[in-house]
């Protein structure tokens, strides 16, 4: 009898360990591996809970995101204006949550309030979005709703309240938040002209009429952008308060930082499918870095999307690209996130699941090393969502030259929620950060004055916080006269690299070129006394037949300024050198930026390696200071629009200065020790073979 009692107690104990319990900030305290199965109405027809749960266990998920309500309710809702899935045969959501919780898997519910079924929408026209023609948008029976209408402002809270009263959800996710202007075919319908939007903007702006065109040069549109941000955030804070009234253990997740615990982002090929672009290789790395570098106490959940884009939602994206996106999440310190249409067990293009499982199982096996880490990088790359390709180009230069860096949204530098203050970085890179408040300008100048270093490009500091042009350079640390003239993106524009510049830039690569093209916008500026000037502007030259393709004028108007300011220093390229690199990856643009960082700003890299630019390297440090590790991702295998399995790279030499004396170094891919040498304060080693990815663990 005693033995039976012991066995029963043991079983009860084991069950309690497996079962999910409500826990505040579980999204920060626990490893995070999310699978989102974006259920269709028809998935309820043959839904087998056992099969569904087992597919998630097999792949290695510990968090699941599943459709609960909004456009379609996958439960027996009592609300009049929530469309119920006509294929429901049992209490599906309740049973799924119960069984997943029994397996130790947390569940987040998905809601979408951006559309309303046409059967319901016709009864509530005042809830609906209105396009520029004064019409509603009905897309395949789903009608767009207005952010400021009563459906999103009030009825959405009723739906949430009903669902949270019925189901023990661990989190809530919202899709298609904010002011939507396009449908699923990417058709543009314009700024919402509903009466609710017009009246609210008029009141908010003290009398302005709602704009009808998205034009950055229009001061009213710039005000409208601020209005969108403030009103969206206000709604989300109200939703936040409602959800948290059901318990602080419920995570809030969506595509914004405001009122959320989990900041959701996506890596997808949607734009590439429409525009014949090659998907950006560093999308996941940027998504993760920019969230983790801007807010403490938030989880970032960057989804590697299964399909190419809306027109091809049942066809898988490239397997190697999906794997790469997941690995970039992981080696930058975030959890994993993969989402598909339908269930895993009925996915019709499913070979990519092998790649997903590879990364998920690697993370599961090594989660004690990959969870609760942080960076100690010395470089900060500021991000402005309007900098676009300029930001991308600087991101690429740093990554491909193995300079370790964090990313922060530029407007966060004076907020209280940043993980690190900007003064903790030795170098700040500002790619065309034109929009800055007076307080941010003052903070950055003080940062330099006290010993910090800035490398900036483009039209940095020439606009106010919401983008109003001020037509002057406001950062005094640049050592440039405030007034400037602009030059446009014209063919035949170049900068001369003078012999005197090459001595200062101090890199033998400059023996091979004397000129770089500048087919981008920029500024013609004058230095203040004491500022060093480099490069010479070559105005647009003739192009055409070879006989007429030459220039006749080289000016002394600089393309690079270097200035000592207090104890710190700045280097400023007054043109979009990052966008130029992003377009064509010309070595000349990269050489100028890297030489400015190393030779002019005297910045020393954290690591030294002979690794190819195709090897992405990151570093994370254990929060308890027991280890650090270096993530390595092999970007080979890409050919045009195709992402194929990477080709192995051999014998990568690598040296770094560890945080503490090193006990051992090993590969987490194969578990084998890696021989290393201690040379002064540095560790030197060689990685014999890098296939798709690896994590080099350095234990103290």
């Amino acid at each position: 009898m005693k033995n039976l009692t012991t066995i029963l107690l043991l079983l009860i104990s084991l069950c309690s360990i497996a079962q999910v319990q409500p826990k505040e900030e579980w999204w920060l305290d626990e490893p995070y591996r999310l699978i989102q199965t974006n259920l269709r109405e028809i998935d309820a027809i043959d839904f087998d809970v056992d099969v569904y749960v087992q597919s998630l266990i097999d792949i290695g998920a510990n968090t699941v995101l599943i459709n609960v309500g909004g456009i379609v309710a996958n439960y027996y809702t009592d609300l009049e204006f929530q469309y119920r899935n006509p294929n429901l045969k049992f209490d599906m959501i309740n049973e799924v949550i119960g069984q997943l919780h029994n397996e130790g898997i947390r569940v987040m519910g998905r809601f979408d309030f951006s559309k309303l079924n046409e059967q319901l929408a016709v009864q509530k026209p005042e809830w609906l979005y209105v396009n520029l023609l004064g019409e509603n948008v009905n897309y395949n029976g789903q009608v767009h709703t207005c952010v400021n209408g009563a459906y999103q402002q009030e009825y959405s809270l009723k739906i949430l309240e009903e669902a949270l009263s019925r189901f023990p959800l661990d989190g809530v996710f919202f899709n298609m938040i904010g002011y939507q202007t396009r449908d699923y075919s990417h058709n543009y319908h314009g700024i919402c002209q509903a009466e609710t939007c017009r009246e609210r903007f008029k009141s908010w702006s003290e009398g302005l009429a709602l704009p009808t065109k998205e034009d950055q040069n229009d001061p009213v549109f710039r005000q409208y952008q601020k209005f969108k941000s403030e009103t969206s955030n206000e709604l989300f804070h109200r939703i936040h308060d409602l959800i948290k009234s059901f318990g602080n253990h419920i995570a809030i997740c969506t595509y914004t930082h405001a009122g959320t615990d989990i900041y959701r982002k996506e890596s997808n090929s949607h734009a590439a499918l429409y525009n014949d672009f090659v998907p950006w290789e560093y999308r996941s790395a940027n998504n993760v870095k920019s969230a983790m570098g801007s807010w403490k106490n938030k989880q970032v959940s960057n989804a590697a999307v299964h399909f190419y884009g809306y027109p091809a939602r049942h066809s898988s994206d490239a397997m190697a690209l999906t794997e790469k996106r997941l690995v970039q999440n992981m080696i930058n310190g975030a959890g994993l996130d993969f989402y598909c249409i339908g269930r895993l067990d009925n996915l019709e293009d499913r070979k990519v699941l092998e790649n997903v499982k590879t990364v998920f199982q690697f993370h599961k096996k090594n989660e004690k090393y990959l969870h609760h880490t942080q960076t100690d990088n010395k470089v900060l790359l500021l991000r402005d969502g309007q900098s676009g390709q300029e930001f991308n180009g600087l991101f690429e230069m740093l990554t491909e030259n193995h300079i370790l860096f964090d990313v922060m949204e530029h407007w966060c530098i004076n907020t209280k929620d940043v993980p690190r203050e900007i003064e903790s970085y030795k170098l700040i890179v500002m790619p065309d950060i034109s929009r800055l408040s007076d307080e941010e300008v003052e903070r950055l100048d003080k940062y330099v004055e006290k010993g910090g270093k800035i490398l900036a490009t483009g039209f940095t500091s020439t606009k106010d916080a919401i983008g109003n042009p001020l037509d002057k350079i406001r950062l005094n640390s640049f050592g440039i006269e405030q007034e400037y003239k602009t030059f446009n993106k014209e063919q035949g524009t170049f900068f001369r690299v003078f012999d005197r510049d090459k001595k200062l830039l101090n890199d033998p690569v400059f023996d091979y070129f004397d000129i770089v093209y500048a087919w981008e916008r920029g500024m013609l500026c004058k230095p203040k006394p004491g500022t060093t000037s480099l490069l010479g502007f070559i105005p647009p030259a003739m192009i055409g037949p070879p006989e007429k393709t030459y220039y006749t004028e080289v000016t002394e108007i600089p393309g690079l300024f270097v200035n000592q300011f207090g104890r710190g220093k700045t280097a400023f390229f007054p043109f979009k050198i990052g966008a130029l690199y992003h377009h064509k990856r010309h070595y000349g643009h990269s050489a100028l930026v890297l030489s400015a960082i190393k030779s002019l700003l005297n910045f020393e890299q954290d690591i030294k390696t002979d690794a190819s630019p195709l090897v992405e390297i990151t570093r994370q440090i254990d929060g308890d200071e027991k280890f650090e590790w270096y993530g390595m991702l092999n970007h080979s295998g890409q050919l045009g629009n195709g992402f194929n399995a990477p080709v192995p790279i051999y014998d990568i030499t690598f040296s770094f200065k560890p945080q503490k004396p090193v006990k051992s170094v090993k590969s987490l891919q194969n578990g084998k020790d890696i021989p290393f040498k201690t040379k002064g304060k540095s560790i030197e080693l060689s990685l014999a073979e890098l296939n798709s990815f690896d994590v080099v663990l350095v234990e103290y």
Side-chain angles (χ1 to χ4, degrees):
M1 185 69 181
K2 184 177 180 181
N3 290 339
L4 179 60
T5 302
T6 302
I7 291 170
L8 288 172
L9 288 172
L10 179 60
L11 288 172
I12 292 170
S13 174
L14 289 172
C15 288
S16 65
I17 291 173
Q19 288 180 340
V20 165
Q21 301 296 327
K23 180 181 178 183
E24 290 189 19
E25 295 193 339
W26 61 265
W27 50 92
L28 297 176
D29 293 339
E30 300 172 1
Y32 186 80
R33 293 183 297 276
L34 180 141
I35 295 287
Q36 176 183 352
T37 53
N38 230 344
L39 299 184
R40 306 159 296 177
E41 287 179 339
I42 61 171
D43 286 313
I45 296 172
D46 60 348
F47 198 105
D48 186 316
V49 177
D50 292 335
V51 172
Y52 178 80
V53 171
Q54 191 60 49
S55 70
L56 296 162
I57 294 171
D58 291 344
I59 210 163
N62 63 7
T63 309
V64 171
L65 177 53
I66 189 171
N67 309 56
V68 173
I71 291 177
V72 174
N74 279 317
Y75 66 96
Y76 298 109
T77 178
D78 293 327
L79 293 172
E80 179 183 2
F81 290 99
Q82 185 176 206
Y83 180 82
R84 194 178 83 184
N85 189 340
N87 298 311
L88 276 180
K89 297 180 178 179
F90 63 99
D91 194 0
M92 186 173 74
I93 293 299
N94 207 35
E95 290 194 27
V96 166
I97 294 173
Q99 196 155 326
L100 286 172
H101 277 180
N102 285 338
E103 296 293 342
I105 297 173
R106 295 197 179 274
V107 184
M108 294 202 292
R110 180 185 185 275
F111 296 83
D112 191 332
F113 303 120
S114 68
K115 317 286 188 303
L116 187 63
N117 188 277
E118 62 184 359
Q119 298 174 21
L120 305 174
V122 70
Q123 304 175 53
K124 293 288 186 178
E126 68 274 16
W127 287 1
L128 307 177
Y129 164 95
V130 176
N131 68 13
L132 296 174
L133 300 175
E135 302 167 340
N136 302 133
V137 177
N138 185 325
Y139 191 89
N140 291 337
Q142 310 308 311
V143 187
H144 292 212
T145 60
C146 172
V147 174
N148 294 303
Y151 179 71
Q152 290 205 34
Q153 292 287 326
E154 299 169 14
Y155 207 82
S156 63
L157 277 70
K158 291 184 179 180
I159 294 172
L160 286 170
E161 189 169 11
E162 181 186 65
L164 290 167
S165 298
R166 295 189 184 188
F167 308 120
L169 291 168
D170 301 290
V172 172
F173 165 76
F174 303 97
N175 188 56
M176 286 282 189
I177 62 165
Y179 290 77
Q180 302 295 321
T181 59
R182 295 183 184 273
D183 61 31
Y184 281 100
S185 292
H186 215 59
N187 298 311
Y188 178 72
H189 298 282
I191 295 169
C192 179
Q193 300 296 311
E195 182 68 20
T196 46
C197 272
R198 288 192 284 112
E199 287 300 319
R200 191 172 186 187
F201 180 70
K202 183 178 180 180
S203 174
W204 178 90
S205 64
E206 298 181 348
L208 291 177
L210 191 68
T212 58
K213 184 179 180 182
E214 298 188 34
D215 180 5
Q216 290 293 338
N217 296 319
D218 177 11
V220 177
F221 177 69
R222 292 195 291 269
Q223 286 290 329
Y224 175 69
Q225 287 184 301
K226 185 178 181 182
F227 164 80
K228 288 195 300 180
S229 176
E230 290 186 4
T231 52
S232 295
N233 290 351
E234 178 188 315
L235 175 58
F236 256 89
H237 285 299
R238 287 175 50 223
I239 290 173
H240 170 277
D241 292 345
L242 170 68
I243 293 171
K244 294 299 183 179
S245 71
F246 285 87
N248 288 327
H249 65 282
I250 303 174
I252 301 173
C253 172
T254 192
Y255 301 104
T256 182
H257 68 283
T260 58
D261 303 301
I262 303 174
Y263 191 170
R264 191 88 185 284
K265 299 195 174 189
E266 282 189 13
S267 295
N268 59 55
S269 300
H270 185 67
L273 189 64
Y274 276 99
N275 301 304
D276 197 29
F277 295 155
V278 176
W280 194 37
E281 303 90 340
Y282 301 117
R283 179 64 61 198
S284 284
N286 169 49
N287 285 352
V288 169
K289 283 175 178 283
S290 60
M292 298 189 75
S294 302
W295 295 278
K296 59 187 176 185
N297 299 326
K298 279 191 194 297
Q299 175 66 266
V300 56
S301 190
N302 182 61
V305 179
H306 165 259
F307 51 86
Y308 286 115
Y310 293 149
R313 277 192 148 182
H314 302 297
S315 291
S316 169
D317 211 333
M319 294 176 289
L321 179 57
T322 299
E323 180 175 311
K324 180 185 299 187
R325 288 166 171 167
L326 291 169
V327 172
Q328 282 184 335
N329 284 10
M330 180 176 66
I331 66 173
N332 283 288
L336 304 180
D337 184 333
F338 173 78
Y339 113 66
C340 62
I341 300 296
R343 310 186 304 260
L344 296 183
D345 62 276
N346 67 358
L347 202 61
E348 293 176 300
D349 190 346
R350 57 192 170 275
K351 189 163 175 40
V352 70
L353 293 182
E354 298 174 13
N355 303 71
V356 176
K357 185 175 182 179
T358 294
V359 185
F360 269 62
Q361 291 294 341
F362 179 90
H363 187 279
K364 182 178 180 180
K365 178 182 177 182
N366 298 291
E367 63 183 25
K368 65 180 179 180
Y369 301 119
L370 302 173
H371 179 56
H372 271 164
T373 60
Q374 59 199 28
T375 72
D376 188 36
N377 297 331
K378 298 179 177 65
V379 179
L380 176 64
L381 177 65
L382 292 182
R383 179 181 180 274
D384 183 341
Q386 294 184 7
S387 296
Q389 295 178 346
E390 183 67 15
F391 172 85
N392 290 3
L394 269 294
F395 192 108
E396 291 155 358
M397 291 184 205
L398 295 175
T399 303
E400 290 160 17
N401 287 279
H402 308 118
I403 295 178
L404 305 178
F405 64 98
D406 296 336
V407 178
M408 182 188 293
E409 302 290 352
H410 77 281
W411 50 269
C412 288
I413 65 176
N414 275 342
T415 63
K416 63 181 180 180
D417 293 326
V418 290
R420 291 171 58 182
E421 301 294 338
I422 62 171
E423 288 77 13
S424 68
Y425 294 94
K426 292 187 176 180
L427 172 65
I428 296 177
V429 179
M430 302 179 66
D432 191 34
I433 308 296
S434 60
R435 302 184 300 171
L436 290 171
S437 68
D438 290 341
E439 294 77 17
E440 290 163 351
V441 168
E442 182 180 3
R443 177 84 177 272
L444 289 163
D445 273 340
K446 285 184 178 179
Y447 161 81
V448 179
E449 191 173 23
K450 293 180 179 180
K453 297 175 181 179
I454 287 179
L455 181 135
T457 70
F459 290 78
T460 291
S461 82
T462 59
K463 298 178 181 178
D464 70 12
I466 66 170
N468 292 313
L470 300 175
D471 297 326
K472 60 182 180 180
I473 299 165
R474 296 150 64 218
L475 279 165
N476 293 324
S477 53
F478 287 177
I480 305 172
E481 299 292 345
Q482 286 193 334
E483 289 71 29
Y484 60 87
K485 295 180 180 180
T486 61
F487 65 88
N488 293 320
K489 182 176 181 178
E490 293 188 49
Q491 300 177 95
T493 306
F494 294 87
F495 277 101
R496 164 70 69 184
V497 185
F498 298 116
D499 287 341
R500 63 177 183 265
D501 302 333
K502 296 181 180 184
K503 293 178 182 179
L504 294 173
L505 295 168
N506 191 32
D507 190 318
V509 72
F510 290 101
D511 292 340
Y512 296 95
F513 68 98
D514 308 312
I515 196 171
V516 291
Y517 75 99
W519 193 21
E520 270 291 349
R521 293 183 66 236
M523 298 188 290
L524 305 176
C525 312
K526 294 181 180 179
K528 291 180 179 178
T531 301
T532 301
S533 303
L534 294 85
L535 311 183
F537 180 69
I538 299 175
M542 292 188 297
I543 62 170
E547 294 85 353
K548 293 294 184 180
T549 302
Y550 57 87
Y551 56 90
T552 58
E553 181 184 7
V554 178
T555 75
E556 291 289 331
I557 300 172
L560 172 57
F561 300 89
V562 184
N563 185 48
Q564 187 76 39
F565 187 77
R567 300 201 307 271
K569 205 172 186 181
T570 62
F572 177 51
F573 292 92
F575 64 102
K576 296 186 178 182
I577 193 169
L580 290 164
Y581 184 75
H582 179 69
H583 285 309
K584 291 298 179 185
R585 297 293 220 276
H586 190 275
Y587 75 98
H589 299 118
S590 178
L592 284 168
V593 170
L594 267 292
S595 291
I597 290 173
K598 295 178 182 179
S599 299
L600 302 181
L601 295 178
N602 307 117
F603 176 80
E604 183 179 349
Q605 290 182 232
D606 288 342
I607 61 175
K608 296 180 180 179
T609 180
D610 65 354
S612 162
L614 296 175
V615 178
E616 181 179 349
I617 301 176
T618 65
R619 175 183 61 197
Q620 293 285 320
I621 298 171
D622 173 42
D624 296 326
E625 298 184 339
K626 295 180 181 179
F627 58 82
E628 61 187 87
W629 52 255
Y630 292 83
M632 296 190 176
L633 174 60
N634 183 349
H635 281 275
S636 70
Q638 182 180 347
L639 184 63
N641 288 337
F643 289 82
N644 304 292
V647 177
I649 298 176
Y650 299 98
D651 300 322
I652 300 172
T653 62
F654 187 70
S655 70
F656 60 94
K657 294 179 181 178
Q659 299 284 308
K660 292 183 176 182
V662 173
K663 177 179 67 176
S664 66
V665 180
K666 70 176 180 181
S667 160
L668 291 186
Q669 270 289 11
N670 58 31
K672 295 180 180 178
D673 288 338
I674 299 174
F676 66 91
K677 297 179 181 179
T678 302
K679 189 174 182 180
K681 294 182 179 180
S682 295
I683 295 293
E684 296 181 347
L685 57 88
S686 178
L687 185 66
E689 182 177 355
L690 177 66
N691 288 296
S692 57
F693 69 94
D694 203 349
V695 172
V696 176
L697 177 67
V698 180
E699 294 186 285
Y700 306 140

